[in-house]
């Protein structure tokens, strides 16, 4: 997968330490599917400083229209702090789209999306891409200050429910509290969020219910070469095997993921 050069069209900070980056990409950039991601890295001409050498970093596609790629990111460390200081016109290297994608909800009647924290980014692209389907979205955040995309989801789908850990917006508690105790046939669930959220879903969702999750392991190469993003997966024979999140994922059936302490 070759890298291309993208240039910053706009960068906004809708919530403190959360940024929406719009990049112009070449016509040759393939249209991504929901769940896919890109690796971003600085060019030698970058004016903003990354403190020392840094490897590319993975980011889910938040939105895409021909020639324009959008990324929603949270400032957590070295590279995301550099990205927060990008300005319009600056160039950066983009590799992608990478990885697999969420299977479409074809033939499903009860479609639920669970998004926690910055996990809203790929779930936004999914929900927008399949907006003609009747999707219910459940968004969780620690506090109202970290709650993202509530209004945006409300514009795309009919039912959006919010939970915050401290009750500062929506229901007080975890987003997984919205999961119904019994699920009608033809249910499919899609999710991205912190490991704890996905692990809770794995304990709450019966194995016969279709559920697909996007995992966000740390990555170095992004193309299956370094094993830096290895996760344990159950095979059909009930044995554990190793898969790379970047090449075999990031989307996996929830029931196939091996969770620690489960
Ligand atoms: C497939 C995929 C899609 C992703 N999509 C997004 C996205 O859309 N928006 C977004 O903001 N982030 C996303 N991430 C996470 C993002 O890649 C990291 O936040 C980023 O690499 C951090 O780089 P940094 O140099 O700023 O942080 P570093 O300086 O490298 O690390 C700072 C802190 O963040 C922690 N950290 C770094 N990477 C991760 C990770 N993957 N998971 C949990 N903790 C981590 C480190 O342990 C450390 O505590 C995604 C990750 C993957 C694998
Ligand atoms: S990041 Fe290198 S194998 Fe996945």
């Amino acid at each position: 997968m070759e890298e291309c050069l993208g240039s910053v069209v706009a960068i906004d900070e809708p919530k403190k330490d959360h940024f929406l980056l719009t990049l112009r990409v070449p016509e040759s950039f393939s249209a991504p599917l929901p769940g896919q991601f890109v690796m971003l890295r600085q060019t030698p001409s970058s004016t903003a400083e990354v403190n020392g050498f840094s490897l590319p970093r993975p980011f889910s596609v938040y939105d895409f229209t021909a020639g324009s790629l959008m990324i929603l990111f949270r400032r957590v460390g070295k590279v995301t702090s550099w990205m927060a200081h990008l300005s319009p016109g600056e160039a950066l290297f983009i590799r992608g789209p990478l990885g697999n994608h969420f299977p479409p909800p074809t033939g499903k009647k009860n479609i639920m999306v669970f998004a926690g924290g910055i996990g809203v980014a790929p779930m936004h692209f999914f929900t927008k891409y399949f907006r003609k389907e009747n999707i219910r979205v459940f968004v969780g955040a620690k506090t109202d200050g970290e709650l993202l995309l509530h209004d945006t989801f409300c514009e795309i789908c009919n039912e959006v429910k919010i939970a915050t850990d401290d009750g500062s917006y929506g229901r007080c508690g975890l987003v997984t509290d919205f999961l119904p105790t019994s699920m009608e046939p033809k249910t499919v669930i899609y999710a991205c969020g912190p490991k704890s959220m996905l692990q809770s879903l794995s304990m709450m969702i019966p194995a016969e219910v279709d559920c697909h999750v996007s995992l966000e392991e740390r990555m170095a190469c992004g193309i299956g070469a370094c094993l830096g993003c290895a996760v344990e997966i159950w095979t059909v024979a009930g044995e554990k095997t190793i898969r790379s999140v970047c090449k075999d994922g990031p989307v996996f059936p929830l029931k196939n993921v091996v969770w620690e302490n489960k």
Side-chain angles (χ1 to χ4, degrees), residues 190-221:
Y190 299 90
C192 185
K195 230 176 208 165
S196 55
M197 172 188 135
L198 301 183
Q199 190 161 5
S200 297
L201 288 178
S202 82
M203 290 186 281
M204 297 163 81
I205 298 174
E208 64 273 16
V209 174
D210 237 1
C211 178
H212 307 276
V213 296
S214 175
L215 303 182
E216 299 203 337
E217 284 301 313
R218 301 212 67 181
M219 289 183 182
C221 71

Side-chain angles (χ1 to χ4, degrees), residues 226-262:
C226 73
L227 287 183
C229 63
V231 284
E232 279 193 309
I233 295 292
W234 293 110
T235 64
V236 272
E239 286 159 6
K240 289 181 187 175
T241 186
I242 299 290
R243 292 280 176 267
S244 343
V245 171
C246 63
K247 196 161 147 264
D248 305 307
V251 178
F252 293 90
L254 178 67
K255 63 177 181 226
N256 291 6
V257 181
V258 178
W259 302 101
E260 295 144 29
N261 310 320
K262 199 188 165 190

Side-chain angles (χ1 to χ4, degrees), residues 14-25:
K15 283 267 163 111
K16 189 174 181 301
D17 290 330
H18 294 82
F19 299 84
L20 198 49
L21 174 63
T22 308
L23 297 166
R24 186 173 303 117
V25 290

Side-chain angles (χ1 to χ4, degrees), residues 37 57-60 72-74 76-80 118 121 215-219 250:
F37 66 99
R57 296 289 198 268
F59 295 92
S60 303
L72 178 71
F73 69 93
R74 174 185 286 164
V76 292
K78 200 160 116 170
V79 172
T80 47
I118 197 67
L215 303 182
E216 299 203 337
E217 284 301 313
R218 301 212 67 181
M219 289 183 182

Side-chain angles (χ1 to χ4, degrees), residues 17-237:
D17 290 330
H18 294 82
F19 299 84
L20 198 49
L21 174 63
T22 308
L23 297 166
R24 186 173 303 117
V25 290
E27 272 179 27
S28 57
F29 189 87
S30 311
L33 289 166
Q36 288 194 291
F37 66 99
V38 293
M39 299 290 284
L40 300 181
R41 72 181 177 99
Q42 71 171 155
T43 64
S45 64
S46 174
T47 50
E49 287 277 313
V50 179
N51 188 13
F53 171 77
S54 80
L55 291 163
R57 296 289 198 268
F59 295 92
S60 303
V61 175
Y62 165 83
D63 204 355
F64 179 80
T65 49
S68 176
L69 171 72
M70 290 178 90
I71 302 293
L72 178 71
F73 69 93
R74 174 185 286 164
R75 174 168 30 201
V76 292
K78 200 160 116 170
V79 172
T80 47
S81 299
W82 159 70
M83 286 165 60
H85 289 102
L86 285 166
S87 29
E90 277 202 67
L92 66 173
F93 285 121
I94 306 172
R95 185 188 292 151
L98 297 167
N100 65 357
H101 54 85
F102 288 109
T106 320
K108 299 290 185 177
K109 280 200 178 132
N110 181 27
I111 307 164
M112 290 187 271
V113 161
F114 284 82
I118 197 67
V120 291
M123 301 330 298
H124 170 263
F125 189 35
F126 175 90
T127 308
K128 196 175 160 205
Y129 199 90
F130 294 110
R131 64 190 307 163
K132 288 192 183 136
E133 307 286 344
N134 191 17
I135 300 179
R136 291 189 287 155
V137 176
F138 305 93
V139 182
K142 282 187 187 145
T143 66
D144 184 22
E146 293 187 19
L147 178 65
L148 296 160
L149 306 184
H150 178 203
D151 297 342
T152 315
F153 276 121
C154 288
E155 283 165 23
I156 307 173
C157 43
N158 295 333
E159 191 177 334
V160 181
K161 289 196 172 151
I162 308 290
T164 49
D165 293 3
D166 65 354
S168 49
Y169 196 97
R171 178 170 172 164
C172 180
L174 301 174
V175 68
T176 47
D177 297 343
F178 287 119
L179 200 71
T181 42
S182 72
M183 276 169 243
E184 50 194 90
K186 295 201 175 175
T187 291
V188 61
I189 298 170
Y190 299 90
C192 185
K195 230 176 208 165
S196 55
M197 172 188 135
L198 301 183
Q199 190 161 5
S200 297
L201 288 178
S202 82
M203 290 186 281
M204 297 163 81
I205 298 174
E208 64 273 16
V209 174
D210 237 1
C211 178
H212 307 276
V213 296
S214 175
L215 303 182
E216 299 203 337
E217 284 301 313
R218 301 212 67 181
M219 289 183 182
C221 71
I223 52 168
C226 73
L227 287 183
C229 63
V231 284
E232 279 193 309
I233 295 292
W234 293 110
T235 64
V236 272

